[in-house]
Amino acid sequence: MSYKLIDAPLLTADQIRTRVYELAQALESTTNEPLHLVAVLKGSIVFLADLIRAMRGPITLDFIAVSSYDVNVSSGAVQLLKDIDTNIKDRSVVIIEDIVDTGLTLEYIQTLLRSKKPKTLHSVCLLSKPSRRQTKVVIDHVGFEIEDHFVVGYGLDYEQQYRHLPHISVVEVTSKQ
Ligand code: 5GP
């Protein structure tokens, strides 16, 4: 495989900052109750850090980790690597996800958390690729809808690189002939 990082950002740091602030307002306007945020590791950490600093609270945090599956392997199975540490029964829970592509990961996490009987369960993602969807997963708040590009930056990686970029860029991945 070879890859090329496209120089011009798909989304600038300013665009992201404005939208994350709007998402924080939208989230908090849904309820007056304390929110328990469950962030999906690792890609959502930068989004989470900015989102919570735009919120008035009260909020609490937890983390969940699932395996990324190989899109070329048709099983599409998602595996739990780290479950949440908190009892979420009767609490207002929000899943914080970086990007929803096929929707299989978010659907898996929603099913798992719903089985723990929260009072409410909402989902927020920074990016969504609707053209790639394989499920009817419901996302309550979407930052940006994007085309079918592989993107990095603002927490998102390509082979663990580029998470530190303040903007989001496209990576063109090609198979070597
Ligand atoms: P799903 O297909 O299950 O909706 O997406 C699962 C995961 O694939 C996402 O949480 C993310 O970790 C990864 N992913 C999907 N699209 C992209 C992308 O464009 N860039 C990066 N860095 N990760 C992606």
Side-chain angles (χ1 to χ4, degrees):
M1 297 282 245
S2 69
Y3 72 92
K4 181 170 170 260
L5 182 69
I6 306 295
D7 283 339
L10 180 69
L11 295 165
T12 65
D14 273 350
Q15 285 175 298
I16 297 169
R17 190 177 308 112
T18 304
R19 189 68 186 124
V20 169
Y21 182 80
E22 290 169 357
L23 288 173
Q25 308 301 302
L27 246 187
E28 291 205 300
S29 67
T30 59
T31 179
N32 288 327
E33 298 200 23
L35 293 175
H36 186 66
L37 309 186
V38 175
V40 185
L41 293 171
K42 301 174 186 167
S44 71
I45 54 158
V46 179
F47 176 36
L48 175 77
D50 284 346
L51 188 72
I52 58 175
R53 285 178 294 172
M55 294 173 76
R56 296 169 67 95
I59 58 143
T60 48
L61 296 181
D62 206 336
F63 296 91
I64 191 168
V66 293
S67 63
S68 319
Y69 51 85
D70 184 343
V71 285
N72 299 311
V73 176
S74 60
S75 78
V78 181
Q79 274 191 325
L80 185 65
L81 299 178
K82 183 215 166 294
D83 202 348
I84 56 172
D85 301 324
T86 330
N87 181 358
I88 59 169
K89 189 167 185 308
D90 297 330
R91 299 180 71 177
S92 300
V93 175
V94 184
I95 300 168
I96 310 296
E97 175 64 300
D98 51 3
I99 184 164
V100 180
D101 185 33
T102 63
L104 294 169
T105 303
L106 183 59
E107 187 172 65
Y108 172 90
I109 293 169
Q110 287 179 345
T111 304
L112 177 72
L113 296 190
R114 240 180 242 122
S115 73
K116 298 174 190 281
K117 310 282 184 223
K119 181 173 180 186
T120 58
L121 182 65
H122 291 96
S123 302
V124 182
C125 70
L126 181 68
L127 304 172
S128 171
K129 299 187 215 174
S131 67
R132 294 264 308 156
R133 209 69 94 240
Q134 288 179 22
T135 66
K136 292 197 167 130
V137 69
V138 175
I139 316 168
D140 302 283
H141 303 282
V142 174
F144 301 93
E145 289 194 344
I146 63 169
E147 303 290 316
D148 181 11
H149 299 298
F150 192 84
V151 290
V152 295
Y154 201 71
L156 288 157
D157 75 307
Y158 176 68
E159 296 185 345
Q160 300 304 324
Q161 298 296 314
Y162 304 121
R163 292 192 197 275
H164 66 293
L165 298 179
H167 54 267
I168 288 173
S169 283
V170 173
V171 164
E172 279 179 356
V173 184
T174 47
S175 315
K176 271 196 183 137
Q177 298 300 312

